[in-house]
Amino acid sequence: MHYINTYASPLGGITLASDGEKLTGLWFDGQKYFGAALGGERRFRDLPIFERTGRWLDGYFRGEIPDSIPPLSLAGSPFRRAVWEILLEIPYGEVMTYGEIARRMALRKGLTSMSAQAVGGAVGHNPVSIIVPCHRVVGTNGSLTGYAGGIDKKIGLLALEGVDTGRFFVPEKGTAL
């Protein structure tokens, strides 16, 4: 059983999902892979985890740097979960490239290299947007590609965090435009 609730953000509607105790999903309404972590029956319900996540989001959208995150339960392969752990290490107001994440993954696994494309797939399937900050990942060439919520949301989130988005560019083609 999955429980869902909604949150109205300055960038658009957000749907939250929970297993009843932990946050399992957070998606901008209509984003790519929306609700991918949800299976079976869903019920709309108020839960303490939704209240806690709402407070976190309220502070975040006021420009406050979060000091902790709500409890998460991230469903995915061990590789994806490892990539998401690296995302959680990207500081507020900073960015990291897919290549940097691939190098960190390779180092942690004792490998000489890791595919940045494989990392990109894991980043794109992050089930808890914003809190697991996949919006902080950019292309090595300065491209703002790769945000399942859409480039406009990515730019909005980065700008909210004080990132100079003028140093990046929006690709003409891409999977997340």
PDB file of all heavy atoms in Angstrom, residues 76-94:
ATOM      1  N   GLY A  76      15.239   0.942  -5.538  1.00  0.00           N
ATOM      2  CA  GLY A  76      16.014   0.917  -6.769  1.00  0.00           C
ATOM      3  C   GLY A  76      17.126  -0.101  -6.652  1.00  0.00           C
ATOM      4  O   GLY A  76      17.369  -0.663  -5.589  1.00  0.00           O
ATOM      5  N   SER A  77      17.806  -0.307  -7.745  1.00  0.00           N
ATOM      6  CA  SER A  77      18.925  -1.256  -7.765  1.00  0.00           C
ATOM      7  C   SER A  77      20.043  -0.737  -6.860  1.00  0.00           C
ATOM      8  O   SER A  77      20.095   0.461  -6.545  1.00  0.00           O
ATOM      9  CB  SER A  77      19.447  -1.414  -9.189  1.00  0.00           C
ATOM     10  OG  SER A  77      20.089  -0.213  -9.594  1.00  0.00           O
ATOM     11  N   PRO A  78      20.948  -1.601  -6.447  1.00  0.00           N
ATOM     12  CA  PRO A  78      22.089  -1.139  -5.644  1.00  0.00           C
ATOM     13  C   PRO A  78      22.883  -0.029  -6.350  1.00  0.00           C
ATOM     14  O   PRO A  78      23.343   0.912  -5.702  1.00  0.00           O
ATOM     15  CB  PRO A  78      22.936  -2.402  -5.454  1.00  0.00           C
ATOM     16  CG  PRO A  78      21.937  -3.526  -5.512  1.00  0.00           C
ATOM     17  CD  PRO A  78      20.928  -3.073  -6.550  1.00  0.00           C
ATOM     18  N   PHE A  79      23.024  -0.123  -7.668  1.00  0.00           N
ATOM     19  CA  PHE A  79      23.747   0.916  -8.417  1.00  0.00           C
ATOM     20  C   PHE A  79      23.014   2.255  -8.307  1.00  0.00           C
ATOM     21  O   PHE A  79      23.626   3.278  -7.997  1.00  0.00           O
ATOM     22  CB  PHE A  79      23.899   0.513  -9.888  1.00  0.00           C
ATOM     23  CG  PHE A  79      24.539   1.582 -10.724  1.00  0.00           C
ATOM     24  CD1 PHE A  79      25.915   1.759 -10.707  1.00  0.00           C
ATOM     25  CD2 PHE A  79      23.773   2.426 -11.526  1.00  0.00           C
ATOM     26  CE1 PHE A  79      26.521   2.757 -11.469  1.00  0.00           C
ATOM     27  CE2 PHE A  79      24.365   3.419 -12.289  1.00  0.00           C
ATOM     28  CZ  PHE A  79      25.745   3.583 -12.260  1.00  0.00           C
ATOM     29  N   ARG A  80      21.719   2.244  -8.554  1.00  0.00           N
ATOM     30  CA  ARG A  80      20.949   3.493  -8.467  1.00  0.00           C
ATOM     31  C   ARG A  80      21.006   4.069  -7.066  1.00  0.00           C
ATOM     32  O   ARG A  80      21.200   5.279  -6.888  1.00  0.00           O
ATOM     33  CB  ARG A  80      19.499   3.274  -8.890  1.00  0.00           C
ATOM     34  CG  ARG A  80      19.332   3.144 -10.386  1.00  0.00           C
ATOM     35  CD  ARG A  80      17.882   3.008 -10.769  1.00  0.00           C
ATOM     36  NE  ARG A  80      17.758   2.939 -12.226  1.00  0.00           N
ATOM     37  CZ  ARG A  80      16.626   2.758 -12.863  1.00  0.00           C
ATOM     38  NH1 ARG A  80      15.493   2.625 -12.194  1.00  0.00           N
ATOM     39  NH2 ARG A  80      16.606   2.699 -14.186  1.00  0.00           N
ATOM     40  N   ARG A  81      20.834   3.226  -6.054  1.00  0.00           N
ATOM     41  CA  ARG A  81      20.871   3.730  -4.674  1.00  0.00           C
ATOM     42  C   ARG A  81      22.238   4.332  -4.351  1.00  0.00           C
ATOM     43  O   ARG A  81      22.326   5.338  -3.644  1.00  0.00           O
ATOM     44  CB  ARG A  81      20.479   2.636  -3.693  1.00  0.00           C
ATOM     45  CG  ARG A  81      18.985   2.307  -3.767  1.00  0.00           C
ATOM     46  CD  ARG A  81      18.478   1.476  -2.591  1.00  0.00           C
ATOM     47  NE  ARG A  81      19.319   0.375  -2.192  1.00  0.00           N
ATOM     48  CZ  ARG A  81      19.248  -0.866  -2.670  1.00  0.00           C
ATOM     49  NH1 ARG A  81      18.330  -1.174  -3.574  1.00  0.00           N
ATOM     50  NH2 ARG A  81      20.058  -1.805  -2.233  1.00  0.00           N
ATOM     51  N   ALA A  82      23.308   3.753  -4.882  1.00  0.00           N
ATOM     52  CA  ALA A  82      24.652   4.300  -4.651  1.00  0.00           C
ATOM     53  C   ALA A  82      24.797   5.674  -5.310  1.00  0.00           C
ATOM     54  O   ALA A  82      25.395   6.588  -4.734  1.00  0.00           O
ATOM     55  CB  ALA A  82      25.706   3.329  -5.172  1.00  0.00           C
ATOM     56  N   VAL A  83      24.247   5.824  -6.511  1.00  0.00           N
ATOM     57  CA  VAL A  83      24.277   7.132  -7.175  1.00  0.00           C
ATOM     58  C   VAL A  83      23.464   8.140  -6.369  1.00  0.00           C
ATOM     59  O   VAL A  83      23.907   9.274  -6.149  1.00  0.00           O
ATOM     60  CB  VAL A  83      23.753   7.033  -8.630  1.00  0.00           C
ATOM     61  CG1 VAL A  83      23.525   8.417  -9.236  1.00  0.00           C
ATOM     62  CG2 VAL A  83      24.719   6.223  -9.500  1.00  0.00           C
ATOM     63  N   TRP A  84      22.302   7.742  -5.883  1.00  0.00           N
ATOM     64  CA  TRP A  84      21.460   8.660  -5.109  1.00  0.00           C
ATOM     65  C   TRP A  84      22.151   9.080  -3.813  1.00  0.00           C
ATOM     66  O   TRP A  84      21.981  10.207  -3.348  1.00  0.00           O
ATOM     67  CB  TRP A  84      20.091   8.046  -4.844  1.00  0.00           C
ATOM     68  CG  TRP A  84      19.337   7.710  -6.106  1.00  0.00           C
ATOM     69  CD1 TRP A  84      19.480   8.288  -7.346  1.00  0.00           C
ATOM     70  CD2 TRP A  84      18.348   6.706  -6.260  1.00  0.00           C
ATOM     71  NE1 TRP A  84      18.640   7.700  -8.250  1.00  0.00           N
ATOM     72  CE2 TRP A  84      17.920   6.713  -7.612  1.00  0.00           C
ATOM     73  CE3 TRP A  84      17.769   5.776  -5.406  1.00  0.00           C
ATOM     74  CZ2 TRP A  84      16.959   5.850  -8.112  1.00  0.00           C
ATOM     75  CZ3 TRP A  84      16.794   4.915  -5.894  1.00  0.00           C
ATOM     76  CH2 TRP A  84      16.392   4.960  -7.236  1.00  0.00           C
ATOM     77  N   GLU A  85      22.941   8.197  -3.226  1.00  0.00           N
ATOM     78  CA  GLU A  85      23.703   8.557  -2.027  1.00  0.00           C
ATOM     79  C   GLU A  85      24.706   9.670  -2.353  1.00  0.00           C
ATOM     80  O   GLU A  85      24.908  10.582  -1.553  1.00  0.00           O
ATOM     81  CB  GLU A  85      24.422   7.336  -1.452  1.00  0.00           C
ATOM     82  CG  GLU A  85      23.505   6.368  -0.734  1.00  0.00           C
ATOM     83  CD  GLU A  85      22.817   6.975   0.481  1.00  0.00           C
ATOM     84  OE1 GLU A  85      23.470   7.746   1.230  1.00  0.00           O
ATOM     85  OE2 GLU A  85      21.623   6.688   0.686  1.00  0.00           O
ATOM     86  N   ILE A  86      25.325   9.578  -3.525  1.00  0.00           N
ATOM     87  CA  ILE A  86      26.252  10.639  -3.937  1.00  0.00           C
ATOM     88  C   ILE A  86      25.489  11.948  -4.149  1.00  0.00           C
ATOM     89  O   ILE A  86      25.969  13.023  -3.775  1.00  0.00           O
ATOM     90  CB  ILE A  86      27.050  10.228  -5.195  1.00  0.00           C
ATOM     91  CG1 ILE A  86      28.009   9.079  -4.839  1.00  0.00           C
ATOM     92  CG2 ILE A  86      27.817  11.423  -5.774  1.00  0.00           C
ATOM     93  CD1 ILE A  86      28.716   8.455  -6.013  1.00  0.00           C
ATOM     94  N   LEU A  87      24.300  11.877  -4.723  1.00  0.00           N
ATOM     95  CA  LEU A  87      23.494  13.092  -4.907  1.00  0.00           C
ATOM     96  C   LEU A  87      23.253  13.783  -3.568  1.00  0.00           C
ATOM     97  O   LEU A  87      23.292  15.013  -3.479  1.00  0.00           O
ATOM     98  CB  LEU A  87      22.155  12.775  -5.568  1.00  0.00           C
ATOM     99  CG  LEU A  87      22.175  12.226  -6.986  1.00  0.00           C
ATOM    100  CD1 LEU A  87      20.752  11.987  -7.482  1.00  0.00           C
ATOM    101  CD2 LEU A  87      22.923  13.140  -7.934  1.00  0.00           C
ATOM    102  N   LEU A  88      23.014  12.989  -2.538  1.00  0.00           N
ATOM    103  CA  LEU A  88      22.755  13.556  -1.213  1.00  0.00           C
ATOM    104  C   LEU A  88      23.983  14.272  -0.646  1.00  0.00           C
ATOM    105  O   LEU A  88      23.863  15.070   0.286  1.00  0.00           O
ATOM    106  CB  LEU A  88      22.282  12.468  -0.247  1.00  0.00           C
ATOM    107  CG  LEU A  88      20.852  11.984  -0.470  1.00  0.00           C
ATOM    108  CD1 LEU A  88      20.590  10.690   0.294  1.00  0.00           C
ATOM    109  CD2 LEU A  88      19.856  13.061  -0.070  1.00  0.00           C
ATOM    110  N   GLU A  89      25.150  14.007  -1.213  1.00  0.00           N
ATOM    111  CA  GLU A  89      26.388  14.638  -0.754  1.00  0.00           C
ATOM    112  C   GLU A  89      26.671  15.967  -1.447  1.00  0.00           C
ATOM    113  O   GLU A  89      27.576  16.689  -1.043  1.00  0.00           O
ATOM    114  CB  GLU A  89      27.567  13.684  -0.994  1.00  0.00           C
ATOM    115  CG  GLU A  89      27.476  12.402  -0.202  1.00  0.00           C
ATOM    116  CD  GLU A  89      28.499  11.365  -0.651  1.00  0.00           C
ATOM    117  OE1 GLU A  89      29.391  11.687  -1.476  1.00  0.00           O
ATOM    118  OE2 GLU A  89      28.409  10.225  -0.172  1.00  0.00           O
ATOM    119  N   ILE A  90      25.913  16.293  -2.494  1.00  0.00           N
ATOM    120  CA  ILE A  90      26.150  17.555  -3.205  1.00  0.00           C
ATOM    121  C   ILE A  90      25.605  18.693  -2.347  1.00  0.00           C
ATOM    122  O   ILE A  90      24.410  18.734  -2.051  1.00  0.00           O
ATOM    123  CB  ILE A  90      25.468  17.574  -4.594  1.00  0.00           C
ATOM    124  CG1 ILE A  90      25.911  16.385  -5.443  1.00  0.00           C
ATOM    125  CG2 ILE A  90      25.783  18.898  -5.307  1.00  0.00           C
ATOM    126  CD1 ILE A  90      25.128  16.223  -6.736  1.00  0.00           C
ATOM    127  N   PRO A  91      26.466  19.605  -1.929  1.00  0.00           N
ATOM    128  CA  PRO A  91      26.005  20.680  -1.050  1.00  0.00           C
ATOM    129  C   PRO A  91      24.982  21.609  -1.711  1.00  0.00           C
ATOM    130  O   PRO A  91      25.007  21.826  -2.920  1.00  0.00           O
ATOM    131  CB  PRO A  91      27.296  21.456  -0.729  1.00  0.00           C
ATOM    132  CG  PRO A  91      28.406  20.507  -1.014  1.00  0.00           C
ATOM    133  CD  PRO A  91      27.910  19.653  -2.150  1.00  0.00           C
ATOM    134  N   TYR A  92      24.118  22.139  -0.888  1.00  0.00           N
ATOM    135  CA  TYR A  92      23.144  23.152  -1.300  1.00  0.00           C
ATOM    136  C   TYR A  92      23.890  24.274  -2.008  1.00  0.00           C
ATOM    137  O   TYR A  92      24.924  24.757  -1.539  1.00  0.00           O
ATOM    138  CB  TYR A  92      22.451  23.681  -0.039  1.00  0.00           C
ATOM    139  CG  TYR A  92      21.411  24.751  -0.259  1.00  0.00           C
ATOM    140  CD1 TYR A  92      20.070  24.421  -0.333  1.00  0.00           C
ATOM    141  CD2 TYR A  92      21.760  26.093  -0.346  1.00  0.00           C
ATOM    142  CE1 TYR A  92      19.098  25.406  -0.501  1.00  0.00           C
ATOM    143  CE2 TYR A  92      20.803  27.082  -0.514  1.00  0.00           C
ATOM    144  CZ  TYR A  92      19.476  26.732  -0.594  1.00  0.00           C
ATOM    145  OH  TYR A  92      18.519  27.702  -0.758  1.00  0.00           O
ATOM    146  N   GLY A  93      23.379  24.702  -3.158  1.00  0.00           N
ATOM    147  CA  GLY A  93      23.969  25.818  -3.884  1.00  0.00           C
ATOM    148  C   GLY A  93      25.180  25.456  -4.729  1.00  0.00           C
ATOM    149  O   GLY A  93      25.837  26.333  -5.283  1.00  0.00           O
ATOM    150  N   GLU A  94      25.490  24.169  -4.839  1.00  0.00           N
ATOM    151  CA  GLU A  94      26.619  23.732  -5.662  1.00  0.00           C
ATOM    152  C   GLU A  94      26.122  22.722  -6.686  1.00  0.00           C
ATOM    153  O   GLU A  94      25.029  22.166  -6.552  1.00  0.00           O
ATOM    154  CB  GLU A  94      27.712  23.111  -4.791  1.00  0.00           C
ATOM    155  CG  GLU A  94      28.342  24.114  -3.840  1.00  0.00           C
ATOM    156  CD  GLU A  94      29.466  23.519  -3.030  1.00  0.00           C
ATOM    157  OE1 GLU A  94      30.103  22.537  -3.486  1.00  0.00           O
ATOM    158  OE2 GLU A  94      29.712  24.032  -1.927  1.00  0.00           O
TER     159      GLU A  94
END
